[in-house]
């Protein structure tokens, strides 16, 4: 416990609250009142400060779980692959065995191998209602060979993923030329590194696509406060499962990228905020850090170059909002992950512990290593102008070969990705829609026409009408198509899908994950979910599509963080692009306000309710007629 | 809590709804709008607390000056900067004004934002205004009128949350009414320094609560009720007692300690129902302690004295004021100065103290002091000195060191050398005197608001008024002159203290000419240099800071033994 506390600055003991809660739960199975009080006293906090955390992060339990705890993923890609049936089976198993407990959880970030479940700390891929019985009994994970890289791929970050001759230890990594870029970077000046990254045109791979070099240059060169670097390994956008493989199969690449970046922004302390659902990944990274320390790649006076840097792991506990950088910072400070208002709390100025802080995605930090290796200019040759480099695209949903593909940004089209790389739609099925950048991205209809400005080599642009197949997989084209490249999670929907069901699944995710801090998202996300719930159960009324749309409009752009857009965009786009499907599920003519005797349940049950005008007050009418009001 | 003084502020130009205004640098945009007459609705923002920006009610359109290629603002036809409007609405509670900033508070986008936020806040809010204590002073109600939709589009079941939660001994919570603005949590952290409130659970199911093992019981807990913009936090004492629109609100201040927190007394038909703090940045910011706030119950006590009584045939008998005053004057005239002691109170107003000191002079006694009342204080508002007007007593010459003379008086009463005792608004039984010793006093006159063991032993009892029943001034611990205003009338035949003392003074001296309390103040201001040129009216609602209040007149000097022996005892009419 002392070691967990020592990872944070002396006067910032509160940060150790989450690690201590993890330790307590690992030891006792759940967080009791005694645990809350003990941890509060240990850290000099009030019990309420700890209770706030225990109830915010779903992974902390206040009740004991079974000896075996099964977590089944509920979110879109897994649900499409049958996780509701899987959950049903798991419930049956648990019903007959008091030692087993089950939980339906949100995205476990392995959408390419859907449906997935975790049994205790171990992830199981492509589980079906039959195989889960064996899994619970034996718990031997089935190791499937990783596919060979597709010919359209350009593997940079994922070079070592799935390599048969690859091990995750540091010797393999060093023998493969690892940590050479760190050595090279330590001979460069900070400004030089930042310039290389700027030249490379690297854009953040977490979702927003902000230029990385520009972000770094917000840190003043003569900064007096300590600077922190945080690696955002809270991969949790449904449809995205790239960081999982980097962490589990190539941890030193990530550490090297982090160390170079820490050096560039002069951060002496760096944290890896890894999502709680990656316990194995956290352990792999802990080991990797120790290996790197033994070789003096981190710690004091790295490689004799006078640069000190420590990297610590901070585990999350199942809250999507921790992927938002200021929410992540609050969480790292040992608080509920409430995103901060910007202004004034821009992380580069007032970040972790109110010090300048850079938060980068796992993949982004890995790219830094390759930028140092290739040089920024060379790196910028990859991909397309303003959309440089490679990026990992994760395909899940209704395709034959879901999985990850590292492509040069914009050099592969949506059609190539879906039909060539991911094997196309399932036999006899047609493409209906694509969610191109994680579940929060606006959906694209398969039969839409997009007007995209195509940048020519001479710098001029030509506007061209495109089919969905022709869309280049890059930031600018997908933005121009009215959606976004986001986190690179492409969810493919075929013609068997009910769009109201899909939206309902997404809405449930966002309603569950809304942190509840600011009004529009807190109230709106649950409202949208309740409406689509009712529509799915047959209680849709004619106003529902319009109501859904306006709820989305009232959330997007009005919230503290981008979660507002994330939860509103699916609703706005689904309702707008599939009006017939929504209208078909919204047929009841009862307009709001609902007669007082009618509950949503009764709407669903189709009880005969007379449609009648609102009761009116004759006195009011009289007064109105006399012109006295 | 004194104001932080800053260096002279620079001004910046800000355009609000098309009109250019100037504000000092560092002004919050939301405050600037308010100063410009464009009130922006808000729930979470409170100017005395940090800004989390979570309610989203104060969304406005904001713009910054358009910069030319020379990095200078481009000027429009009117010579003012052209404004680059941001496409998204911005909250105005967390940002300071800056040069050339533009703000729109009434645009269609802003109205739409407010309507949207109002709808979101109301979908899960119970429709229980008719039984809600906040009704009438509820921000949700107020902004609903302006930005609410007429009907509800919400067809679903509302989120269920705990009701009637006892957060502490004085605060009750209805979680379904809570809009999660976090004002109360921030108050507890930032002002009361008692971090007991927090949110548990997540999203729309978030619930405000205290840890089961640690309740909201600090001495400032009721301020959370004041700042709660809705009916979630209610005062356990006040809830279900009175609709707020029936309350008459009287500006006053709290007399429970030397801080003198400014208050509003809420009363109806001569009954006080609640006391709430009133903003005064030189005294109490926007807060007051629970101890002071709830200390008004005695005003409505069953033990209030309703008519003057004098001793007749060994029995305290009700009489009228004219006879009572004449009787008291007669009793006192029997004694020489050194036989008479006056125990006054630090709870009296300046006017009462001034008249008391004149009575003492006319009686020729220097046996006069106030009773010190002390208790544990804190670093927030509560003072150790529980007398609200110790400084007044010093300035008006009643004492130089409160209580220094009391032991000697007690000794002199016990030894029989002091034979007449006048007690004003205090209980001599608390000073070490026994009932027998008081009973043996030939003259023992008390002025008090309620009956107690000592009033029963008196030779005359004069019923007076509580702080909320009278006008007058006091000087708080920091030397600030503040004014009490009458919120309710005293019960029965009880009178304003100053009138009783004036009548007694006139009966003792056969003088005349003081008709109103303002006359008393004028006499004081002529005699006391620190009050020169002042009047009760000039004190105003927020009080006045006095200077040099430590330079008070020569304090009364303790009498010597010889003086006492010289004094001639006569048979008084009392006993």
């Amino acid at each position: 416990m002392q070691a967990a506390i020592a990872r944070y600055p002396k006067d910032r003991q509160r940060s150790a609250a989450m690690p201590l809660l993890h330790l307590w739960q690992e030891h006792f199975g759940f967080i009791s009142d005694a645990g809350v009080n003990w941890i509060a006293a240990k850290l000099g906090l009030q019990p309420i400060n700890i209770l706030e955390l225990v109830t915010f992060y779903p992974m902390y339990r206040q009740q004991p779980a079974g000896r075996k705890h099964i977590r089944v993923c509920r979110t879109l890609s897994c649900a499409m692959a049958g996780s509701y049936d899987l959950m049903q089976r798991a419930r049956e198993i648990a019903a007959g065995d008091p030692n087993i407990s089950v939980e339906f959880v949100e995205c476990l970030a392995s959408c390419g191998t859907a449906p997935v479940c975790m049994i205790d700390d171990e992830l199981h891929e492509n589980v079906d209602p039959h195989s889960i019985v064996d899994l619970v009994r034996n718990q031997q994970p089935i190791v499937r060979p990783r596919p060979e890289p597709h010919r359209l791929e350009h593997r940079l970050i994922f070079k070592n993923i799935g390599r048969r001759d690859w091990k995750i230890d540091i010797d393999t990594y060093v023998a493969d030329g690892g940590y050479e870029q760190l050595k090279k970077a330590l001979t460069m000046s900070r400004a030089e590194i930042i310039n290389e990254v700027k030249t490379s045109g690297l854009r953040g791979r977490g979702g927003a696509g902000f230029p990385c070099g520009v972000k770094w240059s917000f840190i003043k060169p003569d900064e007096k406060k300590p600077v922190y670097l945080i690696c955002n390994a809270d991969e949790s956008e449904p449809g995205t499962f790239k960081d999982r493989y980097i962490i589990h199969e190539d941890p030193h690449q990530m550490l090297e990228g982090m160390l170079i970046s820490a050096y560039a922004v002069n951060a002496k302390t760096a944290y890896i905020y890894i999502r709680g659902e990656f316990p194995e990944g956290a352990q792999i990274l802990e080991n990797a850090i120790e290996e790197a320390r033994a070789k003096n790649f981190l710690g004091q006076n790295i490689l004799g170059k006078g640069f000190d840097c420590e990297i610590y792991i901070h585990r999350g506990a199942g809250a999507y909002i921790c992927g938002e950088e200021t929410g992540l910072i609050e969480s790292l400070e040992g608080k509920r992950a409430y995103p901060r208002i910007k202004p004034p709390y821009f992380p580069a100025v007032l970040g972790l512990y109110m010090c300048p802080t850079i938060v980068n995605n796992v993949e982004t930090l890995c790219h830094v290593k390759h930028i140092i290796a290739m040089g920024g200019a060379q790196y910028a040759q990859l991909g397309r102008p303003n959309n440089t480099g490679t990026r990992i695209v994760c395909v899940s949903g209704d395709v034959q070969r879901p999985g990850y593909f590292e492509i040069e940004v914009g050099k592969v089209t949506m059609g190539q990705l879906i039909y060539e790389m991911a094997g196309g739609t399932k036999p006899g099925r047609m493409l209906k829609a694509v969610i191109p950048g994680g579940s929060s991205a606006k959906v694209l209809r398969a039969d839409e026409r997009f007007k995209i400005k195509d940048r020519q080599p001479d710098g001029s642009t030509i506007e061209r009408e495109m089919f969905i197949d022709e869309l280049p997989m890059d930031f600018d084209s997908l933005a121009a198509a009215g959606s976004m490249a986001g986190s690179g999670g492409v969810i493919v929907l075929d013609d068997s899908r009910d769009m109201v069901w899909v939206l309902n699944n997404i809405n449930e995710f966002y309603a569950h994950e809304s942190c509840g801090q600011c009004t529009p998202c807190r109230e709106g996300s649950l409202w949208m979910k309740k409406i689509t719930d009712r529509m799915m159960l047959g209680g849709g009324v004619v106003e529902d599509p319009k109501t859904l749309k306006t709820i989305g409009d009232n959330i997007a752009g009005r919230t503290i963080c981008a979660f507002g857009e994330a939860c509103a965009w699916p609703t706005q786009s689904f309702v707008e692009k599939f009006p017939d499907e929504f209208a078909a599920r919204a047929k009841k003519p009862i307009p709001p306000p609902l007669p007082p005797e009618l509950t949503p349940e009764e709407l669903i049950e189709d009880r005969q309710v007379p449609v009648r005008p609102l009761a009116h007050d004759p006195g009011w009418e009289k007064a109105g007629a006399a012109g006295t009001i | 809590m004194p104001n932080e003084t800053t260096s002279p502020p620079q001004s910046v130009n800000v355009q609000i709804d098309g009109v250019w205004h100037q504000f000092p640098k560092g002004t919050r945009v939301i405050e600037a709008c308010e100063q410009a007459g464009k009130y922006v609705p808000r729930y979470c923002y409170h100017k005395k607390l940090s800004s989390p920006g979570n309610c989203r009610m104060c969304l406005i359109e904001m713009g910054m000056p358009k910069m030319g290629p020379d990095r200078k603002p481009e000027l429009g036809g009117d010579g003012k900067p052209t404004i680059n409007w941001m496409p998204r609405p911005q909250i105005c509670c967390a940002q300071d004004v800056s040069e050339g900033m533009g703000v729109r508070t009434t645009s269609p986008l802003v109205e739409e934002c407010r309507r949207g936020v109002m709808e979101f806040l109301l979908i899960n809010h119970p429709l229980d205004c008719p039984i809600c204590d906040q009704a009438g002073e509820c921000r949700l109600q107020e902004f609903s009128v302006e930005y609410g939709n007429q009907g509800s589009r919400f067809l679903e079941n509302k989120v269920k949350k705990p009701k009637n939660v006892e957060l502490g001994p004085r605060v009750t919570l209805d979680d379904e009414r809570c809009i999660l603005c976090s004002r109360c949590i921030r108050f507890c952290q930032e002002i009361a320094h008692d971090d007991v409130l927090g949110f548990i659970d997540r999203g729309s199911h978030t619930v405000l609560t205290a840890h089961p093992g640690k309740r909201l019981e600090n001495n400032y807990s009721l301020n959370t009720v004041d700042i709660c913009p809705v009916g979630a936090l209610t005062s356990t004492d006040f809830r279900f007692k009175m609709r707020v629109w029936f309350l008459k609100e009287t500006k006053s201040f709290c007399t429970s300690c030397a801080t003198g927190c400014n208050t509003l007394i809420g009363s109806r038909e001569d009954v006080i129902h609640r006391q709430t703090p009133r903003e005064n940045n030189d005294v109490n910011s926007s807060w007051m302690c629970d101890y002071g706030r709830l200390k008004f119950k005695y005003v409505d006590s069953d033990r209030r004295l309703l008519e003057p009584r004098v001793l007749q045939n060994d029995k305290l008998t009700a009489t009228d004021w004219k006879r009572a005053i004449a009787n008291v004057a007669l009793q006192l005239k029997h004694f020489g100065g050194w036989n008479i002691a006056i125990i006054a109170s630090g709870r009296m107003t300046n006017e009462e103290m001034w008249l008391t000191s004149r009575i003492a002079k006319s009686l020729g006694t220097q046996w006069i002091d106030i009773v010190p009342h002390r208790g544990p204080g804190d670093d927030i508002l509560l003072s150790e000195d529980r007398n609200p007007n110790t400084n007044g007593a010093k300035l008006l010459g009643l004492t130089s060191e409160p209580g220094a003379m009391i032991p000697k008086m007690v000794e002199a009463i016990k030894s029989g050398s002091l034979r007449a005792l006048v007690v004003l608004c205090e209980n001599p039984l608390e000073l070490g005197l026994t009932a027998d010793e008081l009973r043996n006093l030939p003259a023992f006159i008390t002025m008090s608001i309620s009956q107690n063991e000592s009033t029963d032993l008196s030779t005359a009892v004069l019923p007076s008024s509580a702080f909320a029943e009278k006008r007058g001034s006091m000087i708080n611990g920091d030397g600030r002159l503040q004014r009490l205003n009458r919120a309710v009338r005293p019960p029965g035949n009880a009178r304003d203290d100053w009138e009783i003392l004036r009548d007694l003074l006139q009966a003792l001296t056969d003088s005349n000419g003081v008709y109103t309390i303002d006359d008393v103040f004028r006499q004081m201001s002529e005699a006391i240099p620190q009050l020169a040129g002042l009047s009760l009216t000039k004190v105003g609602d927020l009080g006045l800071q006095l200077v040099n209040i430590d330079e008070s007149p020569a304090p009364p000097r303790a009498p010597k033994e010889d003086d006492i022996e010289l004094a001639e005892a006569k048979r008084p009419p009392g006993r």
Side-chain angles (χ1 to χ4, degrees), chain A residues 46 49 52 55-56 336 341 512-514 518-519 522-523 527 530 534 550 558-560 565 600-601, chain B residues 54-56 88 94 112 120-121 124 153-157 179 195 198-203 214:
Chain A
Q46 295 292 331
N49 304 138
E52 281 190 314
T55 56
F56 185 86
R336 291 161 74 85
I341 46 173
H512 182 263
E513 295 299 340
S514 169
C518 69
T519 309
R522 174 181 72 230
E523 304 297 342
W527 188 6
K530 283 178 172 174
R534 182 164 45 74
T550 50
R558 320 249 170 109
T559 51
I560 291 177
E565 283 78 24
E601 289 79 10
Chain B
N54 65 33
C55 74
R56 316 309 284 177
R88 286 164 151 230
E112 191 193 308
F120 285 135
L121 286 175
N124 282 309
R153 303 189 289 165
F154 189 72
L155 302 179
E156 326 306 328
N157 290 321
I179 58 164
D195 193 3
F199 289 140
I200 61 166
D201 295 334
R202 205 164 73 172
K214 202 145 189 251

Side-chain angles (χ1 to χ4, degrees), chain B residues 235-252:
Chain B
S235 161
T236 310
D237 175 63
F238 175 67
R239 69 200 303 247
F240 305 140
K241 297 278 167 59
M242 185 51 62
R243 306 281 10 184
V244 295
W245 54 82
F246 291 134
L247 291 180
K248 178 183 82 174
E249 296 202 310
T250 308
K251 288 171 183 166
S252 186

Side-chain angles (χ1 to χ4, degrees), chain A residues 257-310:
Chain A
M258 278 186 77
L259 287 161
I260 297 168
S261 309
Y263 174 70
V265 299
N266 200 15
K268 305 247 183 316
T269 310
Y271 291 97
I272 300 171
Y273 190 101
I274 183 168
R275 65 177 305 192
E277 292 89 336
F278 290 174
E280 199 190 334
Q283 194 50 53
I284 288 169
L285 285 170
E286 295 274 9
N287 296 344
I289 287 170
E290 286 317 309
E291 287 180 326
R293 187 193 311 281
K295 293 207 185 299
N296 193 221
F297 292 132
L298 65 78
Q300 298 290 308
N301 192 16
I302 294 172
L303 301 172
K305 293 292 198 294
F307 174 59
D308 306 336
C309 184
E310 284 296 340

Side-chain angles (χ1 to χ4, degrees), chain B residues 336-353:
Chain B
W338 298 125
N339 278 136
I340 305 175
I342 301 177
I343 297 177
S345 171
R347 295 163 181 159
M348 296 161 70
T349 65
N350 293 330
E351 293 75 10
E352 294 153 19
M353 286 175 171

